[in-house]
Amino acid sequence: MKIITISREFGSGGRELGKRLAEVLGIPCYDNKIIEMIAKENGFDEQYVANVSERSIEAAYPMTIGHRFAMPPLQIMDQSIRVAAAQRQIIENFAKQGDCVIVGRSADAILEEMHPLNLFVYADMDSCVKRCMERAPAGENLSRSEMERMIRQIDKQRSQYHQMYSDMKWGAKEGYHLCINTSGREIKDLIPALAAYVQAWFGE
Amino acid sequence: MKIITISREFGSGGRELGKRLAEVLGIPCYDNKIIEMIAKENGFDEQYVANVSERSIEAAYPMTIGHRFAMPPLQIMDQSIRVAAAQRQIIENFAKQGDCVIVGRSADAILEEMHPLNLFVYADMDSCVKRCMERAPAGENLSRSEMERMIRQIDKQRSQYHQMYSDMKWGAKEGYHLCINTSGREIKDLIPALAAYVQAWFGE
């Protein structure tokens, strides 16, 4: 069974890398589909789920900012724990169904016992900012420094989310089988060699 | 110009990886040849040069152990600085001659301006110990814990040596283009995909 998990710094192109890799390997790639499915199954608002999905419980509740020790109401807390639990189950179900690429959501830690190949995708800040600028939705007009702050914040949230599932530090190379620096690179140029790496890894 | 530098944790198989990669790419791999050449050019004792080559100046002089603030005699200090300087020059000369793989000796930092592809090879402690045990010279009989200590010590020396040439921390993924975890893997199985990665990197 080929399970490939992709962890990635925001703006590094990890999501694109996952999609392209899955395409070449001829296997599904699960990403925001996971969120959609949770949203549908649980009747949650999709945007809400998107907001929770890769953030720590605390980060998902901006109303607690400035109230360092304030906790969200028990009911809301319950709900975000349910979302995280549902995500974990869905990831496990996807993995059981067969070969796949899963981007984000700490699938590396959640699926540890299935021995996935864990990739980490990263890039220097310049490259991340550039990629984010190019892909910014129309109307979003962040300055360079705002963009940098957003990138750092999202990476911090990903790191916190990962802590729910593992003691291994998010982004520390020891937790991954291959760490790919995409600075100044076109993702698509790296895909054939990475696909070959995946196949060699799984003994094909 | 294809310059590939290999930095590696002791016992991770980085040296084997460098040699095999160079073979497949059809380019030279420089490793202990560098040391031999320095030894010949400078008339130094080869074993002495081997000892200095990848260690910090301090570490190359075990007589200073226990004398934390003692300095080696000026003359010896001079010599080890000359050896490091000669190594740097030889690495630069090799790189100027054409495509090559260079294993260790902080070539990643020394050749920075030539834009090499910098690989870092690492593995978990179990794998490093196993590899070292398999390759131990006849007569060497280190216990598991002695072996672990030796591995950590050599990696520390490599890290210190790197500091002579760069502020980038040795082994921090940000300083490399691809970090390869060889835990429980046969190096040879990974080579074809890595060779493809190298070729894609240099636009071939």
Side-chain angles (χ1 to χ4, degrees):
Chain A
M1 181 101 93
K2 274 197 293 277
I3 313 280
I4 300 118
T5 76
I6 313 245
S7 309
R8 73 289 183 223
E9 289 178 354
F10 191 74
S12 69
R15 183 190 166 140
E16 181 189 340
L17 191 148
K19 285 189 189 300
R20 286 184 182 272
L21 190 59
E23 218 173 276
V24 168
L25 294 169
I27 62 180
C29 178
Y30 302 119
D31 185 1
N32 42 5
K33 277 183 194 164
I34 296 170
I35 295 171
E36 282 169 37
M37 177 171 275
I38 294 168
K40 279 172 198 155
E41 282 193 355
N42 295 278
F44 290 135
D45 169 58
E46 198 170 320
Q47 189 50 48
Y48 165 81
V49 177
N51 202 40
V52 167
S53 65
E54 291 220 331
R55 301 174 183 211
S56 69
I57 288 160
E58 200 186 335
Y61 293 97
M63 70 282 247
T64 64
I65 287 169
H67 302 271
R68 203 189 157 87
F69 300 103
M71 292 288 284
L74 190 61
Q75 205 181 346
I76 300 183
M77 177 66 119
D78 270 3
Q79 205 177 53
S80 79
I81 284 173
R82 280 211 320 276
V83 172
Q87 281 199 122
R88 183 186 53 69
Q89 288 170 337
I90 289 168
I91 286 174
E92 286 172 350
N93 285 337
F94 276 142
K96 273 180 208 149
Q97 278 169 39
D99 299 350
C100 63
V101 173
I102 303 179
V103 180
R105 286 154 196 99
S106 299
D108 59 317
I110 289 168
L111 300 177
E112 193 185 356
E113 289 177 14
M114 296 184 79
H115 304 292
L117 170 62
N118 299 320
L119 309 184
F120 191 84
V121 184
Y122 62 109
D124 59 29
M125 185 51 88
D126 274 353
S127 298
C128 289
V129 167
K130 189 161 172 275
R131 195 179 297 271
C132 290
M133 294 280 189
E134 285 165 4
R135 283 158 184 71
E140 185 185 280
N141 242 325
L142 298 182
S143 70
R144 156 109 204 178
S145 70
E146 285 167 334
M147 189 68 92
E148 279 191 25
R149 220 174 115 199
M150 186 187 76
I151 290 170
R152 284 187 221 282
Q153 205 174 346
I154 292 175
D155 284 347
K156 197 178 161 193
Q157 288 161 353
R158 288 179 178 175
S159 174
Q160 287 171 342
Y161 192 81
H162 196 257
Q163 272 190 300
M164 291 204 296
Y165 294 107
S166 176
D167 286 336
M168 192 66 90
K169 203 171 164 246
W170 180 86
K173 69 180 184 305
E174 288 71 21
Y176 308 94
H177 300 109
L178 194 68
C179 301
I180 304 151
N181 188 338
T182 60
S183 304
R185 293 284 145 179
E186 291 288 338
I187 301 295
K188 66 173 164 34
D189 298 338
L190 307 176
I191 296 300
L194 290 176
Y197 200 87
V198 170
Q199 277 157 340
W201 190 266
F202 290 105
E204 281 173 14
Chain B
M1 181 101 91
K2 275 198 292 276
I3 312 281
I4 299 119
T5 76
I6 314 245
S7 309
R8 74 287 183 223
E9 289 179 353
F10 190 74
S12 69
R15 183 189 166 141
E16 181 189 341
L17 191 148
K19 284 189 190 299
R20 286 183 182 273
L21 190 58
E23 218 173 276
V24 168
L25 294 169
I27 61 180
C29 178
Y30 302 119
D31 184 1
N32 42 4
K33 278 183 193 163
I34 296 169
I35 295 172
E36 283 169 37
M37 177 172 273
I38 294 169
K40 279 171 198 156
E41 284 192 354
N42 295 279
F44 290 136
D45 168 57
E46 198 170 318
Q47 189 51 47
Y48 165 81
V49 177
N51 201 41
V52 168
S53 66
E54 289 221 334
R55 302 173 182 211
S56 69
I57 288 159
E58 201 187 333
Y61 295 96
M63 71 282 246
T64 64
I65 288 170
H67 302 272
R68 204 190 155 86
F69 300 103
M71 292 289 283
L74 190 61
Q75 205 182 345
I76 300 184
M77 177 66 120
D78 270 4
Q79 203 177 53
S80 78
I81 284 173
R82 281 212 318 276
V83 172
Q87 281 198 122
R88 183 185 55 69
Q89 287 170 338
I90 289 169
I91 286 173
E92 286 172 350
N93 284 337
F94 276 143
K96 272 179 209 151
Q97 278 168 40
D99 299 350
C100 62
V101 172
I102 303 180
V103 180
R105 285 155 196 97
S106 298
D108 58 317
I110 288 168
L111 299 176
E112 194 185 356
E113 287 176 16
M114 296 184 79
H115 304 292
L117 170 62
N118 299 321
L119 309 183
F120 190 84
V121 184
Y122 62 108
D124 59 29
M125 185 51 87
D126 274 353
S127 299
C128 288
V129 167
K130 188 162 172 275
R131 195 179 297 271
C132 290
M133 294 281 188
E134 286 165 3
R135 283 160 183 71
E140 186 184 280
N141 241 326
L142 297 181
S143 70
R144 156 111 203 174
S145 71
E146 284 168 334
M147 189 68 92
E148 278 191 25
R149 220 175 116 200
M150 186 188 77
I151 291 170
R152 283 188 221 282
Q153 206 174 346
I154 292 174
D155 285 347
K156 197 178 161 192
Q157 287 161 353
R158 288 179 178 175
S159 173
Q160 287 171 341
Y161 192 81
H162 197 257
Q163 272 191 298
M164 291 203 297
Y165 294 107
S166 176
D167 285 336
M168 192 66 89
K169 203 172 163 247
W170 180 85
K173 68 180 185 304
E174 289 71 21
Y176 307 94
H177 300 109
L178 194 68
C179 302
I180 304 152
N181 188 338
T182 61
S183 304
R185 293 284 145 179
E186 291 287 339
I187 301 296
K188 66 173 166 31
D189 297 340
L190 308 176
I191 297 300
L194 290 176
Y197 200 88
V198 170
Q199 276 157 341
W201 190 267
F202 290 104
E204 282 174 12

